[in-house]
Amino acid sequence: MNERGELLIVPDQATLADEAARRFVALAQAAISAKGRFSVALSGGSTPRATYERLAQPPYHDQIDWSNVHVFWGDERYVPLDDPESSFRMAREALLRHVPIPAANIYPMPTVGGTPEAAAGAYAATITAFFDAEQPRFDLILLGIGPDGHTASLFPGAPELTTPSGDMVVVVRDAPKPPPTRLSFTLPLINAAANVLFLITGADKAATLREVLRGPLEPARLPAQGVQPAQGKLLWLVDMAAAREL
Ligand code: 6PG
């Protein structure tokens, strides 16, 4: 544990999915018994799929009171919710359609029928209404990183990193990872979370992970470095392939 968070290295992707599911369950149980509900923001990308699939199956599936789980997304591709690129669609297929979570507890980012700017504003309003507090604080935010150091849809050089907008959710255009238009939580919202969990696997992430965790702090170039929860816990859950340069 240091100021960049706790690091847990596991042997492989399958172990990582089990460990992440176990931690998801523990945080959900703790939040529900403390205050009656659990709020989580999911990540996109391919890495979390195995974790979502684990959560949809025993033993994890039966260890969560899904009626008190509230699911948001930390970023989303600006495509229809049934598009193959949609992070909502991935989570629905891997997890949400397999568990007894009420539809009203699922909060996809709006991606059709208006402008991305209106969607970002609407999602921020949804978050504000849900938390009914000056500073919304998710119980858990899941994140990944890209080989360029991005996290959520905050890519290197994004204006948001150098001149923060003050908004909770922003529009991202011309993203280097397709699709180009996206919506993303900003760092202040991420850093207000009670728990942030990065899921990172694969050798193609190894060099970036070394830079993010061991290199000089340059969050405008390596946005994942900007994730530093003010009063929350930060855990990097990493497989051995991704950790091999640490
Ligand atoms: C997305 C994500 C993005 C992702 C990382 C890691 O829309 O793809 O929000 O931040 O988490 O790029 O993606 P992989 O898990 O596919 O490597």
Side-chain angles (χ1 to χ4, degrees), residues 7 25 33-34 68 86 104 107 118 128 133 147 149 211 213 228:
L7 173 67
V25 166
S33 74
N68 288 312
S86 164
Y107 307 81
T128 302
E211 277 203 279
L213 292 182
Q228 293 186 337

Side-chain angles (χ1 to χ4, degrees), residues 5-234:
E6 185 186 346
L7 173 67
L8 179 61
I9 299 170
V10 296
D12 50 33
Q13 293 188 25
T15 317
L16 183 134
D18 273 312
E19 182 65 26
R22 207 180 58 72
R23 286 173 183 263
F24 186 110
V25 166
L27 291 171
Q29 289 177 341
I32 292 168
S33 74
K35 45 188 186 165
R37 70 181 190 181
F38 173 59
S39 56
V40 58
L42 303 181
S43 67
S46 54
T47 312
R49 178 185 277 273
T51 299
Y52 300 163
E53 288 171 349
R54 292 289 195 289
L55 286 166
Q57 294 161 18
Y60 310 110
H61 174 289
D62 311 317
Q63 293 169 346
I64 294 178
D65 170 9
W66 292 98
S67 65
N68 288 312
V69 175
H70 295 261
V71 176
F72 295 75
W73 277 261
D75 75 320
E76 181 57 280
R77 296 102 179 256
Y78 199 74
V79 295
L81 296 180
D82 59 353
D83 189 285
E85 297 266 37
S86 164
S87 297
F88 164 81
R89 177 178 161 154
M90 190 278 271
R92 187 188 56 195
E93 288 182 353
L95 171 61
L96 300 173
R97 69 187 174 94
H98 306 287
V99 296
I101 182 169
N105 291 13
I106 301 175
Y107 307 81
M109 287 192 175
T111 55
V112 280
T115 62
E117 284 72 17
Y123 206 60
T126 299
I127 292 169
T128 302
F130 176 80
F131 286 98
D132 194 21
E134 199 168 321
Q135 176 59 68
R137 181 170 161 84
F138 281 90
D139 293 311
L140 173 62
I141 297 182
L142 294 176
L143 292 173
I145 65 168
D148 60 357
H150 78 253
T151 191
S153 286
L154 301 170
F155 291 89
E160 182 61 34
L161 301 167
T162 41
T163 31
S165 60
D167 295 332
M168 288 191 279
V169 182
V170 289
V171 179
V172 176
R173 295 187 193 278
D174 302 319
K177 178 179 183 180
T181 306
R182 292 158 168 265
L183 303 174
S184 184
F185 280 14
T186 57
L187 288 173
L189 179 57
I190 294 171
N191 287 335
N195 294 275
V196 177
L197 175 56
F198 276 95
L199 305 181
I200 304 173
T201 63
D204 61 322
K205 305 278 173 73
T208 310
L209 187 63
R210 175 176 44 74
E211 277 203 279
V212 168
L213 292 182
R214 307 280 187 248
L217 272 183
E218 298 175 83
R221 186 173 72 82
L222 295 166
Q225 286 185 336
V227 177
Q228 293 186 337
Q231 286 154 10
K233 287 190 189 151
L234 171 60

